[in-house]
Every structure is written in C-alpha cells, then in structure tokens.
Amino acid sequence: MGLFNRIIDKMVSDKVPFRKRKRLIVFVAIITLLSMTTATVAWFSVNTFAGVDKLDLNISLAAQLKVSMENHGKDLEKYGKVITNEMIDDYLKKHGSSLEDTVLDPVTTREGTEFTNQRGTVREPNKHSYLEFECYFIATEEMWVHLTTESTKAGADDGTKVSTESTGAKADVVNCTRVDFTAEGTGNGTTIYEPNRSNPVNGQTTFDLPSGSMVYSNNTRLFHLNQLEPVKVTVRLWIEGNDPECDDDVQDAQLSVQLGFIGCDKDNRPIS
C-alpha cells in the first residue's frame, strides 16, 4: 500500500479539495484492489496451443472387473483388464483426433460435463482442450466401482496416481489436474477426482484418495454395475484453469495419469 499512501500525501500537500480528493481516493483504492486480486488469478497468460503435452494415460482393473473401448454385450472374452495409450489413440483417431494432437489447455467446469475457457466460451473435447473418451465396464458380479491407489495384482505398480517427469515449477501440473467419470444410465451422475485436493474451485464437488493405506467409502464410489451388464463410462481429463496452480509455470509440462479400479460390495469391502 506504499503507493496508495504516497498518492494521498501528494493530494493533501497539493491542497486538493476534499470532495474531489474523496472521489480520487475511492478510485485509487479500487484500482489498487483490482491489481491485488488479478495477481492471484490462475490460468495461462499465454494464448492457446501452449498447454500440457506429453500425456501418458493407462487404466487397469482388479478382479471381477473388465473393460473395453467397445460394447461387446455379455461376451466377457472380448473385454480386457487394461486400457492403454494406444487403445485411447485408436479411439480418438476414429473421432478425428489423436493423442499426438491433444494439448491440454486450461478449461473449467462446475458439473464435469460442459467445459469453458477463461472467457466463458464452451470448448469441445480433444485436440487443444480437454481429453474425453468412452469405454465399457462389465463385472462378473454386482459391485460398486471405486478408484484405488492399490495395485490390481501382486508385483504390479498400477494403482491410481498422477505424476510428472517435469521438474521445478512445472511439477505443479499434478495439482491442477482433474479426471471425471460419467456412467450412462446408472443414476450416479458425474464424479470428479482431484489429486492433491485443496480448496474447492468454481463450485466443484471433488474427491481425493488417501495418501496411505487405501480406505474405501461412499466418497470414492464412481458408479454401480449389475452382473454382466456393460455400462458406458465417459472419462474426461483436464487442467483446471481456476486452480491456483494452473499458471504459466506448468505450460509444456509432462503429465502421467494412471487409473486403477476395484470392485466393492455395498458396504465398500473389496471383492476378491
């Protein structure tokens, strides 16, 4: 506030009339407040096409649970245990895009299904925006599907984690990443996973996973599956523009997202 005080002292020494001085004080105070608040706004200041690239995304599943990029009905043999970057890339190419073309520029959302940029313009998925793809989950018995940090099998390291090979300030990219899940026809709505969750932004309701031993609860539930009934799940990954960590420092960062899923019973006990 040093500049503000010096302006007031100058007006007093120059004998500016009180009523005019009052108007000037209010104006200067507003300008000072704006300069203070805009300094804390996140978002990239550089124009589009300068977002997060070098994206790696892998999905793995625990027992009794399988997945595919296509709906194969009840034919379990055609579903698998993983979704890889290559499988997602094939899906995107069928829809006119590719992982190579995908650059995560900041967007924001409240409910996790419609996304806008900083100016409020609705953005479409993939390419220079957020990543979106569809897959089909199926289970051999009724269950609730949860995200898990635990490995899906002994000796594997495939539990949920968001990481980066970038160093320094770029490493903050892991703090402004979001992933959400919308399961069609289940009535579960859209759930948003926020790794390293801090204060909520933009009215979002998000959840995080424990840093220690995995504890399953209603908060970590994603969607419900009936026995041998495939469900289409839309997965979206984005960089949240309203997150304080989403600034110029994380541009061009590398991002790795690993998603592990597990089935639990109605009491949130893992099904083995």
Side-chain angles (χ1 to χ4, degrees):
M1 285 295 189
L3 176 60
F4 178 75
N5 291 331
R6 289 197 298 273
I7 293 172
I8 302 305
D9 291 340
K10 175 67 174 173
M11 289 191 295
V12 172
S13 64
D14 290 347
K15 298 181 180 179
V16 177
F18 175 77
R19 293 182 61 185
K20 184 177 180 181
R21 188 191 317 157
K22 184 176 180 181
R23 289 196 298 271
L24 286 172
I25 291 172
V26 172
F27 176 76
V28 173
I30 291 174
I31 293 299
T32 304
L33 178 61
L34 286 175
S35 66
M36 291 171 62
T37 56
T38 54
T40 64
V41 172
W43 300 87
F44 297 166
S45 63
V46 179
N47 287 332
T48 189
F49 309 142
V52 174
D53 59 7
K54 302 182 182 69
L55 173 65
D56 297 308
L57 176 60
N58 290 278
I59 293 176
S60 57
L61 293 91
Q64 320 299 340
L65 189 59
K66 302 185 83 172
V67 69
S68 174
M69 302 298 289
E70 298 180 26
N71 186 353
H72 300 294
K74 297 184 179 182
D75 190 349
L76 283 174
E77 294 299 318
K78 293 185 178 179
Y79 295 86
K81 301 296 290 184
V82 297
I83 290 179
T84 64
N85 260 19
E86 290 73 22
M87 296 166 68
I88 295 170
D89 197 39
D90 288 342
Y91 170 91
L92 293 176
K93 287 176 179 177
K94 292 177 182 178
H95 294 79
S97 183
S98 70
L99 276 178
E100 185 179 9
D101 295 333
T102 300
V103 177
L104 299 178
D105 277 333
V107 290
T108 191
T109 180
R110 286 184 180 273
E111 73 295 327
T113 56
E114 182 176 271
F115 294 79
T116 59
N117 61 14
Q118 189 176 14
R119 297 181 297 278
T121 303
V122 175
R123 299 301 304 271
E124 297 300 320
N126 305 322
K127 293 193 176 180
H128 299 287
S129 185
Y130 61 99
L131 177 67
E132 178 182 283
F133 62 92
E134 297 171 352
C135 55
Y136 292 83
F137 284 78
I138 191 170
T140 56
E141 58 185 282
E142 181 183 2
M143 64 174 60
W144 282 94
V145 178
H146 297 244
L147 275 183
T148 181
T149 57
E150 296 179 349
S151 296
T152 61
K153 58 184 178 181
D157 181 21
D158 56 3
T160 299
K161 60 182 175 182
V162 178
S163 58
T164 181
E165 295 176 356
S166 300
T167 58
K170 287 185 185 298
D172 287 339
V173 67
V174 300
N175 298 322
C176 52
T177 301
R178 304 286 191 278
V179 186
D180 78 22
F181 309 87
T182 304
E184 185 177 82
T186 63
N188 300 125
T190 298
T191 54
I192 303 175
Y193 167 50
E194 178 184 351
N196 308 304
R197 186 173 66 155
S198 56
N199 294 328
V201 300
N202 204 35
Q204 290 176 1
T205 300
T206 65
F207 74 95
D208 197 0
L209 299 177
S211 56
S213 299
M214 187 67 212
V215 177
Y216 302 101
S217 68
N218 289 354
N219 291 332
T220 60
R221 285 179 174 180
L222 300 180
F223 50 87
H224 181 265
L225 292 178
N226 290 319
Q227 184 181 30
L228 294 180
E229 292 183 8
V231 168
K232 182 171 75 172
V233 178
T234 302
V235 181
R236 306 175 188 88
L237 187 153
W238 73 98
I239 301 299
E240 174 53 56
N242 281 322
D243 191 296
E245 304 276 13
C246 184
D247 54 26
D248 290 349
D249 290 337
V250 303
Q251 288 186 122
D252 302 318
Q254 183 273 341
L255 181 64
S256 296
V257 179
Q258 191 167 281
L259 301 174
F261 297 86
I262 192 170
C264 293
D265 62 20
K266 62 182 179 63
D267 297 316
N268 300 315
R269 294 176 301 204
I271 298 172
S272 58

